[in-house]
Structures are given as C-alpha cells and as structure tokens.
Amino acid sequence: MNKRKVTLAVATAGVLTGAAGLSLLAMPAGAGQPPSLPDIAPEALVEQVMTVKPGAFGGTVEVDNKLGLPAIAEIPQLADGKHSGRIWTDGTGKLRLALPNGQSEQTIVDDGKTTWSWNSQTNEVTKSEHKADPKPENKDQDKNSAEQKAIDPATAAKEIVTMTKEFSEISVDGTARVANRAAYELVLTPKPTEKTLIREVRIAVDSELKMPLRVAVLTNGTAEPAGTVGFTQINVGPQDPKLFEFTPPANAKVTTPEAKEAESREKLPEAGLEAALHGKDPQIFGTGWDSVIGARIPAEAMTQVPAEAQGLVDRFTKKVSGSWGSGNLFTTKVATILIADDGRVVAGAVPEQVLFDTIGQVK
Amino acid sequence: MITRQFGSEVRWMLRRPRTLIGLFGLVLVPIIISFGIWTAGEDGGGGGPGLGAIIQGNGMVVPIFTLFLSLNLLLPLVASIWAADGLAGEAQHGTLRGLLVAPVSRVRLLFVKLFGLTAMSLFAVTLMAVVGIIAGTAFLGMNGMMTLSGTTLSTGEGLLRIAFFIVLVTFQMVSIGAVALAVSSTTEHPLVVQAATMTTIIVFQVLGQFPSLDWLHPFLITTGFPGLVDVMRDPMPLNQIWDSTLLAGCYLLIGTGLAAMRLITKDS
C-alpha cells in the first residue's frame, strides 16, 4: 500500500516535471543579470570599436525585424519577424554565411579568391571570381558585402558608427550580456538638430574583444527596437579551414553573377530600383543621420514596370504630391523612400517632409 | 527476468498480422518516393522548398526525406496503433486483467509496454531508412550525400547523419506513443486511442498554422518536427534539434507519468 503511494507520487512528479519543462521551453530566454564591468569613457569605446580588427569567429546571428518591410524575394531573411543565420570568418576576409530560409538554405562562401553563393531551392551556384583590380567594381561582391552587413552585427555597427559619430551624442548606458559574453551598451543618440526617425542606436560591445555583438535601432515613439541584429551564440578563435572552401555539388547549375543579374532584372522589378539606388551616380544630400540618398531611375525602366509589380508598389506605398511633383511614398519605421513619377528617387532615415524638401535637388 | 518480458512483448507485437502489414506499408513509402522522383526525371527535380529540391541524384537523402515526411502523420499513426494494442487492446481481449493481477509490479508492466513501443519504433524507422538508402541509391544514384548547405558529405558521414536522424525520429515517435499509452490505459477500445492520438496530432498541426496563436506553438510537439531538418545542414546546428528533442522528452514524461498513475490506481 505504501509502496503504491510512493510510485504514485513519483508518477505525479514525472507529469509535473514534464509540464514544467514545457512551460520552461516556451519561455523566451531571459536576458540574465547584466555583468558588472569597469567604467569606460564613451569616446574610448568608440575608438576601440572603430579600430578593432575582428579576428576569427563563428556564431549564430538572430535578426529581429519589426520594420514593416515587404518580403524581398532575394533576401527573404530580411522580411518581418525573427530570422537567424550562421556566420564564420577566419579574420582575413574568408567568410561563410549559412542563411536558412524555412527548410531551404542559402550558403555564401568567400574563399579569398572566389565567392560562391549556393541556393538549395534552385539547386544553383553563383560563382564570382574576385577581380584582381582592388577597386570594388564587382557588383556581386558589393551585393555580398551588403548581405554580410545585414547579418553581421560587427560590420553593421562599424558602418553606423562611422557614418553618424560626429552627429550623435555618444554615451555608455550600462552593460548587457549578449551571446553569453559581457558587453558594454554603447548608445548613439542623434543630436537634436538631426531630423531623423531614429531615436537611438544601441550597440553592445564585447568588453574583451571590443567587437560589436548586437545592434538595436530604436525609433521615435516605440519602446521596442524596430530592428535588432545580434549574436545569440559565438565562439571566438580559429575556425575549421574546411568551412571556407566550397565545391559546387555534382549536379548543381553553376552560373556567373552577370547571367544571374540579367535574369533577375527581367523577373524582379525591385532589382531595377535597387540597381538605380546602387547606380553609378547616387547623390547624397545632407550629412549624418538625416542624409538622404537620391537617384534617378532611367525613364525606360519606369515604363517597363509590369502590372503586377505596379500592384505591389501600390499596395505598400502611399500616393503623395507637392510642389516638387507627385509620386509614391514608402514608409517603414526607420526609413522613408519617395519615388517620384518622373523617376527621381530619394530615401533616408528621415520623416517624409525632409524628402519633399530634398527631391528638388535630385539631378 | 525483465529482459525475458521485453523479449516476449516484442515477439507478441511482431506476431500480430497488422504489425506486419503496417511494417510492409511503411517500407513501401521510400520505394514509392524514390520511384516517383526517378520517373519525374531531371525536369521534375532541382527546385522547390526543403529537401525535395536536393533529392535528385542524391539517393542518400531519400531515407531522411521519407522519415521527415512520415513523421507528420504516418509514424504517429503507427506509434498510436502499437500503444493502443499494448493496453486497450489487451483490456479488450480480457488479457490485461491477468497482467494486472499477476504478482508483477504495474510500473514494470508499463515499462515493458514502453520498451515494446520503443523497440518496434526503432525497428520500423530503421527499416524505412535502410529501404530508403537502397531504393534511393537504386533509383536516384549515390555520390556521397549532398546537404542543404551545398556541401557533399562522404558516404560514411552521410550514414552517420542517417543514424542520428533515426534516433531523433524514433524518440519523437516514442514520445507520441507514450501519450497514446496514457490514453490507452483509460479505455478498452483501441480505436479510441488511435483516433484520439491522430486527432491531437492533426489539430496541433492546424493550430501551428495560425500566426496569431504563436504563444501556443512552443507547447505543441508538432512544432518541433520541422526543426529536425537541420540534420541535413552542414555544419549541423544543434539548437533546434535539441529543442525538438527536449519538447518530445516533456511529452514522454507526461505520457509515461499519466499512464503510470492510471495503471496504479486501476482496479483489476
């Protein structure tokens, strides 16, 4: 009788443990106690962020995106929601990115001479050899570095700091634990004279390596970050050299970026816009946080937009007009893009009024 | 003593005609998949989401693909059949009474049933995988194992991945079976057990489709299924696999615990 009670208790405990385990698994991982670190001057920290050479590391990066962007076919990882990717680098420019997309995966490997981009959905490898010419004219290289910027907090943070350092109030606001490493929270607040949508950018800088581990962008009027890019797990140190090699699978199609680009330009209307914004002569107006990038889409590209793409554009944009003309306004939490009907495009992390004032200057 | 009981339990299960018919049906799955992809030919392959895109000319993916697909319905169904036979079936035939009054602890009876379920699940999953490797190699050819990351693993590494996947899938199956055993201990109608288990799995999968219910998703065992595809990435990320396995482990604990509570308090 007594033994029966004991077994019953054990069985009940088992059920309860299982139920508790379920709720524990469902709980989001807590941030944990912020570590206590010696004080550091903000200027010194910025200096270190700018000068540090990230060594070899491998890690998992999570992008939490609440920007309200429509899904872009080419970089599905940037659509709204949480996405994670894995990144490895040997510190000398060799790189591997693994970007899962549902049950598929995109892998990008840069072995120092060639950039390989593999997409399991299309069973296709895009191979682009680095030009001997050090000028970054190779478009694909640009695109890959754009992808790296989007996924690698360290690169993204450096970029932001370089662009906005002079136009921000810089402070160190406590510490944080990111990917189980102690970090300082470096905060860049736009100076009051800056007309921008962004309230502040928080960069968690590793206390030892001085490498940015997480970047969070906060916009006016919201407490939650509009976008966060950060490591969830990182191991610093030499990585397996095999990771930086890539052999195309036996039955995969291997193409060059040129062929790929021609194909995608036909398919995707956004590619035209992207090409225009990255075009030969993007014009930059203003400085710092409220700088605006402007360009002009060739007239033929404007008329070539297929009807269904037009529908897409209409769905995500708002018709606006003013003394500068008329066009479509595309708004996200951190950026605004204005596309005038005559092909002028301006974009920036600014409220729409700044764009209306600037678009007249686009040549 | 206990090994003898384990052995006799598995022998009993294998002696049931429906077990054999079920195993035969499971074995057909990888064959049909390989054959279908082979007839679809080069134009049919190479494209689409998930594992289907890389299966062409890559026979070693067939076992993983088959098990991954079967895990959604077929394997839970098989697990529920075995769980249903284990307790409810015996109750229906009146043989459970004999087992309950026997001078053997009821917890031991439950563990014998759970062992039978585990052994048969492992057997069924391994059988499917082995047939999958053979059929995949025969129809689609084999040249190492190409992963979702575009790398090609050697045959040995590929086999290791398959073995790892067999263990993972078996564990999921046993966890579902343990919950089915809990249901099985409350009824004398095996069909009720199967219906309840399958309904739950299907409802879970439907609930998993609604983004507005995302607070509920971490509790559903079916949420863990898609993450197991990480076995086919290289290098293999373990976070999702580990999460899915822990989730299934919770279900195993709850199922076993409830079944034990019911069996202990049951009147013979």
Side-chain angles (χ1 to χ4, degrees), chain B residues 57 88 119 125 137 164 206 239 241 253-254 259:
Chain B
V125 171
T137 313
F164 184 49
V206 172
N239 323 21
I241 293 174
L253 266 179
I254 294 174

Side-chain angles (χ1 to χ4, degrees), chain A residues 3-5 7-8 11-12 14-27 60 86 88 96 98-107 118-123 232-233 243 245-252, chain B residues 42 46-51 53-54 56-58 68 105 107 143 146-152 215 218-219 226 229 233-237 239 243 246-247 249-251 253-258 260-262 264-266:
Chain A
K3 198 184 157 208
R4 200 179 117 173
K5 267 189 186 153
T7 17
L8 198 59
T12 318
V15 174
L16 292 179
T17 315
L22 275 186
S23 5
L24 218 73
L25 282 176
M27 261 197 304
T60 308
R86 291 182 293 156
W88 296 265
R96 184 190 191 95
L99 311 171
N101 172 24
Q103 285 159 23
S104 305
E105 183 163 313
Q106 195 181 0
T107 303
W118 148 261
N119 190 335
S120 82
Q121 272 194 23
T122 51
N123 202 353
T232 52
Q233 177 260 320
L243 286 169
E245 291 163 14
F246 190 82
T247 319
N251 50 359
Chain B
E42 290 293 323
L51 292 172
I54 58 164
Q56 193 63 251
N58 197 9
F68 188 67
S105 121
V107 176
N143 182 13
M146 187 173 98
T147 63
L148 280 173
S149 306
T151 53
T152 308
W215 56 270
F219 294 100
V229 83
R233 301 187 199 277
D234 185 46
M236 182 163 59
N239 323 21
D243 284 352
L246 277 181
L247 182 62
C250 291
Y251 274 81
L253 266 179
I254 294 174
T256 316
L258 286 177
M261 282 161 76
R262 171 68 190 153
I264 294 162
T265 50
K266 197 169 186 157

Side-chain angles (χ1 to χ4, degrees), chain A residues 4-5 8-9 34 52 56 127 164 194 197 202 209 253 262 295 307:
Chain A
R4 200 179 117 173
K5 267 189 186 153
L8 198 59
V52 72
K127 172 191 179 183
T164 59
E194 302 284 305
L197 295 170
R202 301 180 76 89
L209 306 166
K253 198 169 109 195

Side-chain angles (χ1 to χ4, degrees), chain A residues 265-320:
Chain A
R265 189 159 297 158
E266 277 166 27
K267 271 198 224 150
L268 298 163
E270 307 96 276
L273 178 62
E274 206 187 296
L277 285 175
H278 288 263
K280 273 176 249 149
D281 46 7
Q283 304 152 46
I284 311 265
F285 307 102
T287 47
W289 293 93
D290 50 7
S291 56
V292 170
I293 179 165
R296 184 180 277 278
I297 302 177
E300 68 263 34
M302 282 301 278
T303 51
Q304 268 172 4
V305 179
E308 72 187 281
Q310 191 58 51
L312 193 75
V313 169
D314 289 344
R315 200 143 48 95
F316 290 111
T317 60
K318 179 174 95 180
K319 285 247 177 277
V320 285

Side-chain angles (χ1 to χ4, degrees), chain A residues 12-356:
Chain A
T12 318
V15 174
L16 292 179
T17 315
L22 275 186
S23 5
L24 218 73
L25 282 176
M27 261 197 304
Q33 198 73 16
S36 61
L37 295 168
D39 283 346
I40 186 166
E43 292 76 19
L45 195 58
V46 167
E47 194 54 41
Q48 282 164 335
V49 169
M50 302 292 294
T51 50
V52 72
K53 274 242 171 269
F57 68 87
T60 308
V61 176
E62 192 174 76
V63 181
D64 188 4
N65 180 341
K66 299 193 192 93
L67 299 178
L69 286 172
I72 299 169
E74 282 185 321
I75 325 174
Q77 288 79 13
L78 291 186
D80 255 21
K82 276 189 185 167
H83 301 271
S84 71
R86 291 182 293 156
I87 180 168
W88 296 265
T89 167
D90 73 340
T92 64
K94 291 187 186 176
L95 180 78
R96 184 190 191 95
L97 298 175
L99 311 171
N101 172 24
Q103 285 159 23
S104 305
E105 183 163 313
Q106 195 181 0
T107 303
I108 297 166
V109 178
D110 187 340
D111 61 10
K113 291 193 194 80
T114 314
T115 306
W116 304 91
S117 171
W118 148 261
N119 190 335
S120 82
Q121 272 194 23
T122 51
N123 202 353
E124 232 177 48
V125 178
T126 314
K127 172 191 179 183
S128 69
E129 297 195 11
H130 296 191
K131 300 265 163 65
D133 188 7
K135 265 191 240 162
E137 275 187 343
N138 188 334
K139 267 190 184 158
D140 192 65
Q141 211 171 328
D142 270 358
K143 198 179 129 203
N144 281 342
S145 64
E147 262 154 11
Q148 188 191 349
K149 251 178 250 161
I151 191 98
D152 177 10
T155 319
K158 219 169 190 176
E159 187 98 335
I160 292 173
V161 172
T162 316
M163 271 176 59
T164 59
K165 187 169 61 146
E166 288 169 39
F167 307 94
S168 315
E169 321 252 350
I170 297 169
S171 58
V172 175
D173 182 21
T175 59
R177 197 162 272 285
V178 179
N180 221 5
R181 295 186 69 92
Y184 291 105
E185 283 270 29
L186 179 66
V187 181
L188 293 156
T189 315
K191 286 190 175 149
T193 51
E194 302 284 305
K195 292 169 287 196
T196 174
L197 295 170
I198 292 166
R199 175 157 55 98
E200 63 183 36
V201 173
R202 301 180 76 89
I203 301 172
V205 183
D206 191 294
S207 58
E208 262 174 63
L209 306 166
K210 307 295 184 238
M211 180 180 128
L213 297 176
R214 184 177 65 195
V215 179
V217 177
L218 289 97
T219 54
N220 288 320
T222 46
E224 289 277 295
T228 314
V229 184
F231 286 103
T232 52
Q233 177 260 320
I234 186 168
N235 71 72
V236 179
Q239 303 296 311
D240 185 354
K242 274 212 190 102
L243 286 169
F244 308 110
E245 291 163 14
F246 190 82
T247 319
N251 50 359
K253 198 169 109 195
V254 180
T255 56
T256 56
E258 289 78 25
K260 182 99 185 150
E261 202 138 291
E263 193 185 322
S264 70
R265 189 159 297 158
E266 277 166 27
K267 271 198 224 150
L268 298 163
E270 307 96 276
L273 178 62
E274 206 187 296
L277 285 175
H278 288 263
K280 273 176 249 149
D281 46 7
Q283 304 152 46
I284 311 265
F285 307 102
T287 47
W289 293 93
D290 50 7
S291 56
V292 170
I293 179 165
R296 184 180 277 278
I297 302 177
E300 68 263 34
M302 282 301 278
T303 51
Q304 268 172 4
V305 179
E308 72 187 281
Q310 191 58 51
L312 193 75
V313 169
D314 289 344
R315 200 143 48 95
F316 290 111
T317 60
K318 179 174 95 180
K319 285 247 177 277
V320 285
S321 62
S323 57
W324 48 270
S326 64
N328 291 311
L329 187 72
F330 177 67
T331 325
T332 69
K333 275 188 195 156
V334 295
T336 318
I337 303 172
L338 176 61
I339 307 170
D341 293 337
D342 57 4
R344 288 174 297 174
V345 179
V346 278
V350 293
E352 54 190 57
Q353 192 53 47
V354 178
L355 293 183
F356 295 157

